[in-house]
Amino acid sequence: MTANAATVTRARTGGPREDGPKIFEHAMGWTLVVVLAMFVTQLGLL
């Protein structure tokens, strides 16, 4: 069995797709970081 045949028969498990919008994921990640930082400072934990 070649490597190409092995990848074709592999089932999708519902994980992240490789061709997704990387800039959107990057922006949402930084937005989450900023929101968490605002939450922490509002609670006075820092």
Side-chain angles (χ1 to χ4, degrees):
M1 180 182 295
T2 64
N4 191 19
T7 58
V8 171
T9 58
R10 188 181 311 162
R12 291 287 304 163
T13 59
R17 298 180 189 272
E18 296 297 325
D19 57 349
K22 304 239 184 275
I23 188 70
F24 178 71
E25 292 176 5
H26 193 74
M28 291 306 292
W30 277 108
T31 302
L32 178 64
V33 167
V34 169
V35 168
L36 283 174
M38 289 169 50
F39 184 67
V40 166
T41 55
Q42 285 293 321
L43 289 177
L45 298 176
L46 186 64

